[in-house]
Amino acid sequence: MPYAKALRCRECGREYNLEPLHVCEFCFGPLEVAYDYEAMHRNLTRESIERGPHSVWRYADLLPANPEYAVDINAGFTPLVRGRNLGEHLGLKNLWIKNDCANPTWSFKDRVVTVAATKAREFGFDTLACASTGNLANSVSAHAAAAGLEAYVFIPSDLERGKIVGSSVYGATLVAVDGNYDDVNRLCSELADKYQERTPGGRRWAFVNINMRPYYAEGSKTLGYEVAEQLGWRAPEHVVAPMASGSLYVKIWKGLQELAKLWLIDSVQTKMSGAQAAGCSPIVTAYEQGTMNIRPVRPKTIAKSLAIGNPADGYYALKVMEESGGFGVAADDEEIVAGIKLLAESEGIFAETAGGVVIAGLKKLALSGKIAPDELTVAYITGSGLKTQEAIEDALELPLHIEPTMASFESALGARSAAAAV
Amino acid sequence: MAKQRVKFTFPQELITLPIIYELGKQFSIVTNVRRADVTEDRGWVVLEMDGDIAEIERGLEWVAAKGVRVDPVQGDIVEG
């Protein structure tokens, strides 16, 4: 925390105090946290980090929130597992899987929300809010419960009931908004501006991904730090990460760059590849067309957690892709389902649809030679498949249905073997 | 009176039309452009609108009905 010194506009470079701001007052560009890296370099060592807790808070010095106020439900420090079986299948000899399903609410959103919630508490907000159709809502609700804050979660009114249980169980107030996606988007933007100061009931709201956004986004850097530390303090040679707003992808890169700047790892030669669902791929489309201009799209994909048609960090993601020499890759719904199954059957990890996008993208990049067989490659799996079971249930085999007899079992087994042989 | 910050994204066929000028003329809204990028095949403008909230909403409906995409300046807020 002591090293975060200002908010800086990513467009015009103007600086602001560390306050609940998210856009530059001059050009309306997005703000990002700036740090005093020289002071950080003098004090931060691999050993000092390694002595920290097994959570994102071991990197507290690299985050813009005070760990004394931490709203900590143990986000982060998730397993990095060697993907031998999947690697063999894809012809990759040095493949690793970052399994972020192992977070407290089963997605990487806990990394960003723990930072946003902590900062909100520091600023004296008493309510956490977000607009979400899934992972973010779950994480905001859980962190608000742990922090003793109120939680408001805005959802489209046609969202399936199963999607809201994982938020309402924590006691959050769910607000189902009649209207289309754009209506919900605009309403929440207006609410964030107005309720940051005070609601009619006298409360102050922190919308985690709006007025807390510069702080919130920094939590994703820990995905870069952790992988580097888990690999023995070195950066991977190739990363494949999902892209929705593009923020996570950009922050993994920022995290690696920061470690190099602090001499905690050697210089970063990581190719950053980003994967999107074909039904919502504005960043990959711009990459393929060789333009830095993102055209907003109407999402149509089973990968709901990546369905951001107008990505806030799309332009910055394209810059990282260009600078790092990585690739953009898209996968259609059928490939996404196949990707989920491939990861589950080869490595025992059940990913949500975003993970299916990553594995499908990884496969395309490997088979086209864009990832070399020996490259140290990390694929980021950012959420658990238990949340999106409906996406895959039709693609799975039905159970063998039998009578409680040996004969019935062996008959069913025989029938299945015969069917498989056809 | 209220202020609202928005991003307009123009499809190719609307790039050459004076839509922001007409917005200020047809509605009691002061428009203030802060950032923009316009090429021959697409364009976006980030601007602030100042006026009565109901008038701003009517103005935004009119702009959207013309075929311009209207978003909050920070992009999509609803996340998965």
Side-chain angles (χ1 to χ4, degrees), chain A residues 86 89-90 95 97 302 331-364 379-381 383 385 388 391-392 395-396:
Chain A
L86 180 59
H89 183 85
L90 300 177
L95 175 65
I97 311 289
I302 58 168
D332 65 29
D333 286 356
E334 203 174 312
E335 292 167 329
I336 294 168
V337 170
I340 294 172
K341 286 186 69 181
L342 178 58
L343 179 65
E345 291 171 0
S346 60
E347 298 297 340
I349 297 171
F350 182 17
E352 61 145 325
T353 43
V357 171
V358 166
I359 298 303
L362 176 75
K363 184 174 178 179
K364 287 185 179 185
Y380 282 85
I381 302 302
T388 57
I392 193 159
L396 302 179

Side-chain angles (χ1 to χ4, degrees), chain A residues 11 22-23 25-29 109 131-133 135-136 181 185 189-190 209-210 216 293 309-310 312, chain B residues 4-5 9 34-35 37 41-42 44 46-48 57 60 69-80:
Chain A
E11 292 299 322
H22 63 291
V23 289
E25 286 301 314
F26 180 75
C27 73
F28 299 166
K109 292 289 187 189
S132 170
T133 55
N135 292 330
L136 180 60
Y181 182 90
N185 221 24
S189 173
E190 290 172 26
N209 59 339
I210 308 178
Y216 162 94
N293 296 307
N310 186 18
Chain B
Q4 195 163 341
R5 298 163 178 183
T9 305
R34 297 299 182 89
R35 246 178 336 125
D37 186 10
D41 64 338
R42 55 111 205 107
W44 58 259
V46 165
L47 73 162
E48 186 168 61
E57 280 172 14
L60 288 177
R69 181 171 168 135
V70 180
D71 289 295
V73 287
Q74 57 273 72
D76 281 356
I77 286 156
V78 184
E79 294 195 16

Side-chain angles (χ1 to χ4, degrees), chain A residues 174-238:
Chain A
L174 271 75
V175 184
V177 183
D178 284 333
N180 64 25
Y181 182 90
D182 291 341
D183 296 330
V184 182
N185 221 24
R186 200 171 313 137
L187 170 69
C188 290
S189 173
E190 290 172 26
L191 283 173
D193 281 344
K194 188 169 179 188
Y195 286 1
Q196 172 169 324
E197 296 307 324
R198 210 155 289 280
T199 66
R203 302 187 74 84
R204 292 180 65 223
W205 284 25
F207 253 94
V208 294
N209 59 339
I210 308 178
N211 54 356
M212 291 291 108
R213 189 170 184 86
Y215 310 101
Y216 162 94
E218 291 287 284
S220 289
K221 293 190 307 183
T222 59
L223 276 166
Y225 305 150
E226 275 180 27
V227 160
E229 184 180 345
Q230 289 168 318
L231 288 172
W233 294 106
R234 61 181 169 155
E237 292 169 312
H238 208 128

Side-chain angles (χ1 to χ4, degrees), chain A residues 32-302:
Chain A
E32 186 174 47
V33 180
Y35 299 88
D36 181 351
Y37 289 114
E38 281 186 23
M40 216 188 264
H41 174 52
R42 284 194 296 274
N43 298 313
L44 200 60
T45 63
R46 292 178 180 178
E47 292 72 26
S48 67
I49 291 172
E50 286 165 355
R51 282 195 296 271
H54 283 166
S55 76
V56 296
W57 292 101
R58 73 202 273 109
Y59 307 106
D61 285 335
L62 294 140
L63 296 173
N66 189 338
E68 285 177 27
Y69 292 84
V71 180
D72 183 9
I73 61 171
N74 225 28
F77 221 71
T78 54
L80 178 72
V81 297
R82 187 74 190 265
R84 283 202 172 81
N85 298 331
L86 180 59
E88 195 171 318
H89 183 85
L90 300 177
L92 300 176
K93 296 175 189 157
N94 205 356
L95 175 65
W96 297 77
I97 311 289
K98 181 61 171 169
N99 182 6
D100 238 24
C101 310
N103 271 303
T105 70
W106 305 285
S107 87
F108 88 99
K109 292 289 187 189
D110 290 329
R111 297 175 181 276
V112 284
V113 173
T114 188
V115 178
T118 300
K119 204 68 196 172
R121 196 146 74 169
E122 260 183 79
F123 285 137
F125 289 100
D126 49 32
T127 302
L128 279 189
C130 71
S132 170
T133 55
N135 292 330
L136 180 60
N138 298 168
S139 187
V140 163
S141 305
H143 280 86
L149 301 172
E150 279 206 42
Y152 281 81
V153 171
F154 293 81
I155 55 171
S157 59
D158 58 356
L159 195 63
E160 303 92 318
R161 175 146 183 81
K163 293 259 174 76
I164 64 180
V165 170
S167 298
S168 52
V169 70
Y170 299 107
T173 300
L174 271 75
V175 184
V177 183
D178 284 333
N180 64 25
Y181 182 90
D182 291 341
D183 296 330
V184 182
N185 221 24
R186 200 171 313 137
L187 170 69
C188 290
S189 173
E190 290 172 26
L191 283 173
D193 281 344
K194 188 169 179 188
Y195 286 1
Q196 172 169 324
E197 296 307 324
R198 210 155 289 280
T199 66
R203 302 187 74 84
R204 292 180 65 223
W205 284 25
F207 253 94
V208 294
N209 59 339
I210 308 178
N211 54 356
M212 291 291 108
R213 189 170 184 86
Y215 310 101
Y216 162 94
E218 291 287 284
S220 289
K221 293 190 307 183
T222 59
L223 276 166
Y225 305 150
E226 275 180 27
V227 160
E229 184 180 345
Q230 289 168 318
L231 288 172
W233 294 106
R234 61 181 169 155
E237 292 169 312
H238 208 128
V239 155
V240 184
M243 298 189 296
S245 72
S247 174
L248 170 142
Y249 168 87
V250 169
K251 295 294 183 178
I252 292 172
W253 176 248
K254 183 179 178 186
L256 294 173
Q257 295 290 342
E258 284 182 336
L259 293 186
K261 193 180 287 191
L262 296 166
W263 298 9
L264 296 173
I265 59 172
D266 289 338
S267 68
V268 178
Q269 308 291 333
T270 309
K271 288 179 188 154
M272 293 289 301
S273 289
Q276 294 199 292
C280 183
S281 57
I283 303 173
V284 173
T285 300
Y287 162 80
E288 287 171 344
Q289 292 174 347
T291 171
M292 298 300 279
N293 296 307
I294 306 279
R295 281 179 196 272
V297 300
R298 299 260 173 239
K300 192 163 185 263
T301 169
I302 58 168

